[in-house]
């Protein structure tokens, strides 16, 4: 069993930056692909970013490409996502997941999510 715990959400303003983190525990080791999805109220779940276990493969959703940066620290079983130039469309609950690196995959494990609210 794998547990994922996200942190870093909160209320920010348009144009601000925010960083999210997710730490894996349980059977998790460093050899998991991990990533982020998000879901805004009334909208479908959306792939945000994914990173392979070795950090060599990184993908972003079209709506965040060029603004968000995903990274990982395998020594701490943690991934992070730097969110820059946020806007109202980035308001959503962000979920950490294993093992997807792109939108074609259905995650096996989910965190409880962390809420990001962008105020104008």
């Amino acid at each position: 069993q794998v547990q994922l715990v996200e942190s870093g959400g909160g209320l920010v303003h348009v144009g601000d930056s925010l960083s999210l983190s997710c730490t894996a525990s349980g059977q998790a080791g460093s050899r998991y692909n991990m990533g982020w999805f998000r879901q805004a109220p009334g909208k479908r779940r959306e792939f945000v970013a994914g990173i392979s276990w070795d950090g060599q493969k990184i993908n972003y959703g079209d709506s965040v490409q060029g603004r968000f940066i995903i990274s990982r620290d395998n020594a701490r079983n943690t991934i992070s996502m730097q969110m820059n130039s946020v806007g109202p469309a980035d308001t959503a609950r962000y979920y950490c997941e294993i093992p997807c690196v792109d939108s074609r995959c259905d995650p096996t494990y989910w965190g409880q999510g962390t809420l990001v609210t962008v105020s104008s």
Side-chain angles (χ1 to χ4, degrees):
Q1 190 69 21
V2 174
Q3 293 82 42
L4 300 170
V5 179
E6 303 99 333
S7 62
L11 175 64
V12 293
H13 295 93
V14 172
D16 284 353
S17 295
L18 185 70
S19 182
L20 305 183
S21 293
C22 172
T23 299
S25 62
Q27 293 182 4
S30 63
R31 293 181 179 266
Y32 278 110
N33 299 333
M34 298 178 68
W36 297 92
F37 281 70
R38 69 185 181 186
Q39 189 164 23
K43 295 190 176 182
R44 298 179 64 179
R45 186 182 69 191
E46 176 187 18
F47 170 77
V48 179
I51 184 168
S52 61
W53 68 270
D54 59 359
Q56 295 300 303
K57 183 181 294 185
I58 293 176
N59 292 303
Y60 296 98
D62 290 342
S63 61
V64 308
Q65 179 77 46
R67 298 187 299 121
F68 291 9
I69 301 171
I70 190 172
S71 61
R72 69 185 299 151
D73 180 349
N74 285 345
R76 297 192 300 162
N77 289 332
T78 296
I79 63 169
S80 299
M81 184 165 68
Q82 178 70 27
M83 304 167 59
N84 300 315
S85 302
V86 298
D90 296 316
T91 295
R93 181 167 289 276
Y94 286 73
Y95 297 91
C96 178
E97 55 79 18
I98 288 175
C100 299
V101 294
D102 59 42
S103 61
R104 298 169 294 177
C105 170
D106 286 327
T108 301
Y109 298 104
W110 293 97
Q112 82 286 353
T114 185
L115 183 62
V116 173
T117 303
V118 182
S119 172
S120 57

